[in-house]
Amino acid sequence: MKISKIELVVIKMPLVHFFETSFGRTYERRIILARVEAADGAEGWGECTAGETPSYCEEWTESCWAVLKEILSPMILNKEIESAAQVWDLMKKIRGNRMAKSTLETAIWDLETKQLNVPLWRHLGGVNAQIDCGVSIGIQDSVEQLFEEIQTELDAGYKRIKIKIAPHWDYEVLQRVRERFGDILLMGDANSAYSLNDVDLFKRMDEFGLMMFEQPLAHDDVFDHAKLQREIRTPVCLDESIHSAEDARKAIETGACKIINVKLGRVGGHAEAKRVEQTARENSIPVWCGGMLESGIGRAHNIAMSTLKGFTLPGDVSASKRYWHEDIIEPPVEVTERGTIIAPEKAGIGFDVRRERIDKLTVRKIEI
Ligand code: OSB
Ligand code: MG
């Protein structure tokens, strides 16, 4: 295939409810979308999962915009592309910038599977036609508010609850959640808010029987996580620290984690996500799909990835309505009362992209 046109847009969408992590609150998303078009007129859509500031990682909307426009798009445009699986190699000379790369790479997977008229998830090698869903609940203004959120999500059928933790919002909050909700599947995501000085705190939190602590220590660390994991029973799950299958191998070998969160943007797209999943599976390390407050396009790609065999734990892929009053895909992502999402049988990402809605939300665009 040959990509004859790349459209990049930035859309602005307010969140239904602010989302607070250990690095701050997000009220409104500014999301880059890529639309790739082949010579035969077929199109594919990808979403950039970078945040509005370089807080979760070094990439952010503006760095991705520059890299996509100046560097990556020219590497793809009008090149003979054997398959979507090969797009990663075309961008190999560029270091890092995985979220920017993933934007185009995932769009080309959508395009390829539309040309082949097969669902993306099957083409990726997915085996589960239905995926298990959990939710990620941000830091709230009060524990009562958190209780309300948790009750709402349990009532909706979600299978596991992840709460964000930070030094002012950890031991006592988890203790009260356990008291109130009993033995629900519960976990805490610290987004790197702690250091090895907090080992005793983590040891004390072992008593809550959490499924895992997600990224307790530094965003670029593996070594100290291995030290922490040796001290506690609760499994450590790495998110920020894993950018590739090689990172996964090293983290597993050093004993830095027992579980891995896979995010398409963080690893650079579907091809690398598949390699991370394979590495983890071969080492009996379960993986699950993380989220980045995506619009429907990113959500659809996450659903496809989550159908791979190694994704044995509920992910952070949840219904569109938890984040958006009105999504940019049709139908929006919906979750069954059993807390699952059914992978669509339509070609490509399997959802229709609402172009008119995207145009309405667009604050910047360029055609390459
Ligand atoms: O660490 O998983 C994270 C959102 C933004 C940045 C980082 C993270 C998150 C989430 C949200 O936890 C998950 C979702 O999209 O529902
Ligand atoms: Mg996380």
Side-chain angles (χ1 to χ4, degrees):
M1 85 184 95
K2 244 185 200 171
I3 307 298
S4 51
K5 188 160 125 186
I6 298 174
E7 285 177 60
L8 300 172
V9 303
V10 178
I11 59 168
K12 226 160 111 168
M13 286 219 281
L15 290 164
V16 167
H17 185 281
F18 68 79
F19 192 85
E20 182 171 334
T21 64
S22 61
F23 45 72
R25 274 188 186 180
T26 306
Y27 291 87
E28 184 180 66
R29 295 292 335 275
R30 281 179 47 233
I31 301 172
I32 301 176
L33 301 173
R35 177 183 174 277
V36 296
E37 192 179 309
D40 66 0
E43 67 168 16
W45 286 88
E47 171 165 345
C48 180
T49 64
E52 290 67 35
T53 56
S55 310
Y56 165 82
C57 68
E58 292 88 342
E59 291 186 271
W60 61 302
T61 311
E62 295 308 315
S63 74
C64 289
W65 181 265
V67 170
L68 279 162
K69 173 171 169 266
E70 309 284 340
I71 312 283
L72 300 175
S73 293
M75 295 177 107
I76 299 296
L77 200 69
N78 293 319
K79 296 279 154 55
E80 197 46 64
I81 301 174
E82 263 171 52
S83 68
Q86 186 227 349
V87 171
W88 173 258
D89 296 325
L90 292 177
M91 303 186 289
K92 226 177 185 166
K93 287 202 177 117
I94 301 306
R95 286 196 181 155
N97 293 286
R98 288 172 185 263
M99 288 179 166
K101 288 179 178 178
S102 175
T103 313
L104 283 178
E105 201 254 18
T106 54
I108 295 171
W109 278 96
D110 179 33
L111 177 121
E112 176 171 275
T113 45
K114 278 175 176 148
Q115 283 180 330
L116 294 169
N117 197 28
V118 293
L120 171 60
W121 68 273
R122 289 192 187 276
H123 192 57
L124 287 170
V127 292
N128 300 309
Q130 209 171 145
I131 64 165
D132 289 336
C133 308
V135 288
S136 175
I137 302 179
I139 294 167
Q140 307 292 313
D141 287 326
S142 69
V143 175
E144 287 67 33
Q145 243 170 307
L146 177 65
F147 283 175
E148 254 178 60
E149 287 275 322
I150 294 175
Q151 192 60 58
T152 303
E153 307 302 5
L154 291 174
D155 290 345
Y158 287 101
K159 291 179 187 284
R160 75 99 171 92
I161 302 291
K162 152 169 151 184
I163 69 167
K164 292 290 186 180
I165 56 171
H168 69 288
W169 187 264
D170 49 31
Y171 185 91
E172 198 201 314
V173 175
L174 287 165
Q175 187 177 42
R176 291 183 61 187
V177 170
R178 267 293 181 238
E179 273 167 22
R180 169 74 178 253
F181 294 99
D183 63 353
I184 56 169
L185 292 181
L186 182 66
M187 58 177 285
D189 183 359
N191 288 111
S192 299
Y194 299 90
S195 75
L196 281 183
N197 295 331
D198 302 305
V199 168
D200 284 341
L201 169 67
F202 281 97
K203 276 185 176 169
R204 284 196 292 128
M205 292 196 290
D206 261 344
E207 75 180 75
F208 301 132
L210 301 182
M211 291 176 83
M212 68 195 90
F213 288 118
E214 183 179 344
Q215 198 72 31
L217 310 180
H219 72 98
D220 53 356
D221 169 77
V222 168
F223 189 82
D224 281 357
H225 280 96
K227 278 191 175 171
L228 175 65
Q229 183 68 92
R230 281 197 289 277
E231 298 289 326
I232 62 174
R233 285 194 310 273
T234 309
V236 169
C237 168
L238 289 178
D239 172 354
E240 282 90 330
S241 298
I242 305 295
H243 305 100
S244 63
E246 271 298 275
D247 284 353
R249 177 183 65 76
K250 292 168 191 170
I252 294 167
E253 267 183 45
T254 49
C257 66
K258 293 180 180 165
I259 298 172
I260 293 175
N261 163 327
V262 186
K263 288 180 181 169
L264 277 169
R266 202 191 65 229
V267 305
H270 284 298
E272 190 63 19
K274 273 164 63 77
R275 290 188 281 268
V276 174
E277 182 263 354
Q278 188 183 344
T279 301
R281 185 161 36 79
E282 288 170 357
N283 287 282
S284 305
I285 295 289
V287 303
W288 54 277
C289 177
M292 291 294 290
L293 315 177
E294 288 95 340
S295 80
I297 291 174
R299 237 158 255 279
H301 280 286
N302 286 343
I303 294 168
M305 177 180 76
S306 302
T307 65
L308 297 175
K309 199 171 169 200
F311 286 75
T312 55
L313 295 172
D316 277 347
V317 194
S318 58
S320 298
K321 69 173 182 206
R322 292 191 63 244
Y323 292 101
W324 316 114
H325 293 293
E326 202 183 336
D327 206 341
I328 58 169
I329 55 167
E330 183 59 41
V333 173
E334 277 165 357
V335 168
T336 69
E337 56 200 17
R338 300 178 308 283
T340 63
I341 293 173
I342 296 164
E345 288 299 342
K346 278 175 65 170
I349 56 173
F351 293 83
D352 290 332
V353 172
R354 297 175 60 191
R355 186 65 211 241
E356 83 301 334
R357 172 122 188 94
I358 290 174
D359 289 343
K360 249 199 189 146
L361 299 167
T362 295
V363 292
R364 192 191 310 168
K365 66 176 172 186
I366 186 177
E367 210 178 272
I368 300 153

